[in-house]
Amino acid sequence: MTASSFPFIQGRRTVLRAGALALGLGTAALAFAQPAAWPTRPLSLVVPFPAGGTTDVLARALAEKLSQSLGQPVVVESRPGAGATLGADYVAKAKPDGYTLLMGAVHHTIATSVYKKLPYDFQKDLAPITVVAMVPNVLVINAASTPAKNVAELVALAKAAPGKLAYGSNGNGTAQHLIGTQFQASTGTTLLHVPYKGSGPLTTDLLGGQVAMSFDTITPVLQHIKGGKLRALAVTTARRSSVLPDVPTLEEAGLKGFDIGTWFGVLAPAATPKEIVARLNIEMVKIIRSPDFAQRMQAIGAEPLGGTQEEMARQIREETAKFGKLVKEGGVAIE
């Protein structure tokens, strides 16, 4: 007696074979749908400014810890130029596989309005991961070549020689540039704007007297303030800095409502798998909120933040609108 004598056995075998085939296909489909193991090679964290500035310092501090948590090197790559937009464009167009990230900043929300023809859309082409830190900006002057002891004396110097007093920035369309335009509007002065590619070359020229002043973040100038080569006249945020507690805010110096600081955060190409972006957020927030990282941030005048992807996206939307208004009022535009 053979199995063919019992049709229901034949049918059952057919069903089992079909089921096994379906299970195999389903398993293959599931395996295909799941992202491959990540990361399996080094990551690149792009800094859109030269080495030595705040963006670079923060990126290196984060990259060191992230390398340990991910088990792969995170290499800081400098791609400066055009007010931080060259680096942003590079990452926006990079392969969205989680291996190329951008250390972005408030500058990018300003550049959206300043540059008439950007080759990327900061909100559409990049996916926010988390805000890393906020660093106050500080109005500093060359202590040897600029005799002002406070903001009022600096304003008097500027009014005595309209367009002669030069201030340096990290580039056209950066926070430092916009703070300079707001300072002029608030004080009725006319300053000469000198854009640089980043804090490194700017600080060198500020120390050398090629420019009289800057509104840079605290990090690259802190040691020179403490050393006496630069004089801090005011911070540009609503609150005083914990590392410069004796330096007043611009509002305290008479410029009502002045409150502009610089935040830094990490982004990835927009199409990066959500699972990878979520993993990066978890790892980075854990690092940012650790006591060790907080201590390192305190030493450079930064306030560690960390938060959700949605919070960073909302901040970008709100500040793009806010700075768009300030850019229009200040008449700042770059072809």
Side-chain angles (χ1 to χ4, degrees):
M1 188 176 293
T2 64
S4 58
S5 305
F6 298 91
F8 74 91
I9 294 179
Q10 286 277 57
R12 181 176 175 81
R13 286 179 176 173
T14 301
V15 170
L16 288 172
R17 283 197 298 270
L21 178 61
L23 180 61
L25 291 173
T27 303
L30 182 62
F32 181 80
Q34 291 178 336
W38 178 93
T40 58
R41 56 186 173 85
L43 284 71
S44 175
L45 180 55
V46 174
V47 171
F49 290 108
T54 306
T55 319
D56 180 66
V57 172
L58 288 175
R60 291 182 187 283
L62 181 64
E64 178 186 331
K65 296 294 184 182
L66 193 59
S67 296
Q68 297 170 10
S69 64
L70 293 179
Q72 289 289 342
V74 178
V75 181
V76 175
E77 179 183 354
S78 180
R79 287 184 174 268
T85 62
L86 291 185
D89 182 49
Y90 174 79
V91 175
K93 293 172 180 173
K95 187 176 180 180
D97 53 9
Y99 290 99
T100 306
L101 308 173
L102 172 71
M103 178 59 87
V106 66
H107 312 299
H108 295 107
T109 63
I110 299 170
T112 298
S113 299
V114 171
Y115 287 85
K116 292 183 179 179
K117 296 179 181 178
L118 277 179
Y120 64 91
D121 186 311
F122 190 62
Q123 293 190 59
K124 293 181 180 178
D125 297 336
L126 290 155
I129 297 174
T130 189
V131 176
V132 177
M134 196 286 290
V135 184
N137 291 66
V138 59
L139 166 55
V140 293
I141 60 173
N142 182 301
S145 62
T146 308
K149 297 295 190 295
N150 52 51
V151 174
E153 290 183 9
L154 181 67
V155 170
L157 285 174
K159 287 185 175 180
K164 300 293 185 182
L165 207 60
Y167 80 95
S169 79
N170 281 3
N172 289 313
T174 60
Q176 293 90 335
H177 180 193
L178 192 60
I179 290 171
T181 64
Q182 291 303 300
F183 180 85
Q184 293 173 79
S186 299
T187 58
T189 56
T190 301
L191 304 173
L192 174 64
H193 175 226
V194 182
Y196 289 82
K197 286 187 176 182
S199 295
L202 164 58
T203 303
T204 298
D205 275 10
L206 181 60
L207 291 169
Q210 281 76 23
V211 289
M213 55 191 283
S214 80
F215 299 91
D216 208 346
T217 48
I218 287 177
T219 305
V221 296
L222 183 58
Q223 63 175 319
H224 304 298
I225 293 172
K226 292 182 176 180
K229 292 183 178 180
L230 299 179
R231 182 179 299 123
L233 301 186
V235 293
T236 68
T237 45
R239 294 184 304 168
R240 293 192 181 196
S241 167
S242 60
V243 293
L244 295 172
D246 297 328
V247 178
T249 66
L250 277 174
E251 183 164 25
E252 289 174 329
L255 281 63
K256 298 300 179 185
F258 211 110
D259 181 18
I260 302 177
T262 301
W263 58 261
F264 301 86
V266 184
L267 305 96
T272 304
K274 293 181 179 179
E275 296 87 353
I276 291 177
V277 174
R279 167 88 184 279
L280 283 166
N281 173 269
I282 291 170
E283 299 293 351
M284 289 183 188
V285 171
K286 192 186 307 178
I287 292 167
I288 294 165
R289 295 183 178 177
S290 68
D292 178 57
F293 194 81
Q295 187 175 10
R296 293 184 69 172
M297 293 301 98
Q298 172 67 22
I300 62 172
E303 177 186 350
L305 296 174
T308 67
Q309 301 157 236
E310 293 74 21
E311 287 170 340
M312 186 177 181
R314 182 170 62 251
Q315 182 170 338
I316 289 172
R317 287 194 304 271
E318 292 175 352
E319 295 204 348
T320 298
K322 167 189 168 183
F323 288 121
K325 185 175 181 224
L326 292 178
V327 165
K328 186 176 180 180
E329 290 173 353
V332 181
I334 301 169
E335 293 293 342

